[in-house]
Amino acid sequence: MIADVPRRAPGSALEAQVRVISALFMRELLTRFGTSRLGYVWLIGEPMMLAVMISTVHWLSGSHLPNDLPTFLFYGMGYVPFMMFRSITSRGASAVTSNMSLLFHRSISLLDLMIARNLMEMMVCAAIVLLFILGGMLTVGEVPSDPALLILGLLLSALLGHGLAMVLGSVQVFLEFTERLVHPFTYILMPISATFYMVEYMPPEAREMLLWNPLVHVHEMNRWAMFGDRVVPHFDLGYVMIWVIGLNLVGMAGLRGARPRLSMSD
């Protein structure tokens, strides 16, 4: 399978890079899910089950979301974008160390490995988001208030995860123990990222602290794009863009610095 990765021809760098990433993308897809449909079913079933459980607990408690927001869709649309970020960050961070053998091919760069793996995670999670939206439309007639803004929010969530994955992946080349810290770090982020709540209902002091986290802005923007005037959003698109650009630039620089270290260890 490795031998099928196309080599880059002089004069067609962009076209060859697309072909390389496409081949790596298919390799990642087969590695992640294989030929069994069970893997795809579980990928969709995990966020569905979590949304159902949280919605059920919320319903049994007798409480209601403000402005009659649909409980299942509210929690599902909060968790799936975070799951996208978490999957891209945690799995992307290990793309370098788990694909060392591929680096013997001159046509493959560390950035190619990152893009292929993270693109696969983004597309899969985006498909799950689409299923939640279709479910909301069919069951409760809930249509996204601003589809374009919702797509932008999902893209920003993926780009934040991609940038952080590159940073963590390059750090792991120099400090191997950091690989064990990635998963706990992403889980710690969940309760402070407004995944299951709106910051409007937090105390002002807590709200100010939470808004330092760019993921909070993304989730608030997604809720505004989904539910419109029924929620009071708190987000700054410019602030999120600064984080996206900064993480991706630092991540690409880190990968460039990590590549010679890998060559010396070959």
Side-chain angles (χ1 to χ4, degrees):
M1 187 178 295
I2 296 176
D4 293 334
V5 176
R7 291 187 174 277
R8 292 181 182 172
S12 58
L14 180 60
E15 180 183 354
Q17 184 175 27
V18 172
R19 291 169 57 213
V20 168
I21 292 174
S22 298
L24 292 172
F25 177 89
M26 294 305 300
R27 180 181 183 274
E28 289 290 339
L29 198 63
L30 292 173
T31 301
R32 176 77 182 274
F33 302 110
T35 57
S36 173
R37 297 179 181 177
L38 185 60
Y40 297 93
V41 172
W42 173 247
L43 184 69
I44 298 172
E46 180 192 0
M48 290 287 187
M49 286 190 296
L50 183 64
V52 168
M53 287 188 293
I54 296 176
S55 301
T56 302
V57 171
H58 194 92
W59 176 69
L60 292 175
S61 68
S63 56
H64 300 280
L65 292 173
N67 297 320
D68 295 323
L69 296 176
T71 307
F72 176 79
L73 191 60
F74 178 86
Y75 289 116
M77 289 298 293
Y79 177 67
V80 177
F82 180 82
M83 185 184 74
M84 175 191 290
F85 169 83
R86 188 193 71 193
S87 298
I88 290 175
T89 300
S90 58
R91 289 185 57 80
S94 63
V96 175
T97 55
S98 62
N99 289 285
M100 294 287 289
S101 60
L102 292 177
L103 297 178
F104 285 99
H105 293 270
R106 293 182 181 273
S107 59
I108 300 176
S109 68
L110 294 178
L111 185 59
D112 293 334
L113 295 175
M114 284 287 183
I115 292 176
R117 176 168 289 192
N118 294 341
L119 184 62
M120 186 267 292
E121 295 291 338
M122 182 191 73
M123 292 180 67
V124 169
C125 292
I128 299 174
V129 171
L130 180 60
L131 288 177
F132 268 93
I133 293 175
L134 290 176
M137 293 172 62
L138 295 174
T139 56
V140 294
E142 191 72 42
V143 179
S145 175
D146 191 336
L149 188 63
L150 182 59
I151 293 173
L152 176 61
L154 296 174
L155 181 61
L156 290 175
S157 182
L159 288 174
L160 283 171
H162 178 64
L164 185 56
M166 289 193 293
V167 172
L168 295 174
S170 57
V171 169
Q172 287 178 24
V173 175
F174 300 94
L175 302 171
E176 295 183 6
F177 72 89
T178 57
E179 183 176 2
R180 299 185 179 91
L181 304 178
V182 175
H183 284 283
F185 172 69
T186 56
Y187 279 107
I188 290 173
L189 277 177
M190 184 183 291
I192 61 172
S193 298
T195 307
F196 298 124
Y197 57 88
M198 293 180 287
V199 297
E200 171 66 16
Y201 299 100
M202 301 296 290
E205 297 80 6
R207 183 189 307 159
E208 291 182 9
M209 293 182 63
L210 287 169
L211 288 174
W212 284 98
N213 182 352
L215 281 176
V216 173
H217 293 257
V218 173
H219 292 153
E220 289 283 291
M221 183 168 62
N222 288 340
R223 291 193 184 97
W224 169 259
M226 186 69 211
F227 302 114
D229 293 337
R230 285 183 290 168
V231 299
V232 180
H234 295 269
F235 67 89
D236 185 341
L237 184 57
Y239 179 72
V240 179
M241 291 301 300
I242 291 173
W243 271 93
V244 167
I245 295 171
L247 282 174
N248 279 272
L249 289 177
V250 172
M252 287 188 288
L255 293 180
R256 182 178 289 272
R259 187 62 183 91
R261 176 68 174 264
L262 293 173
S263 298
M264 289 187 292
S265 63
D266 288 344

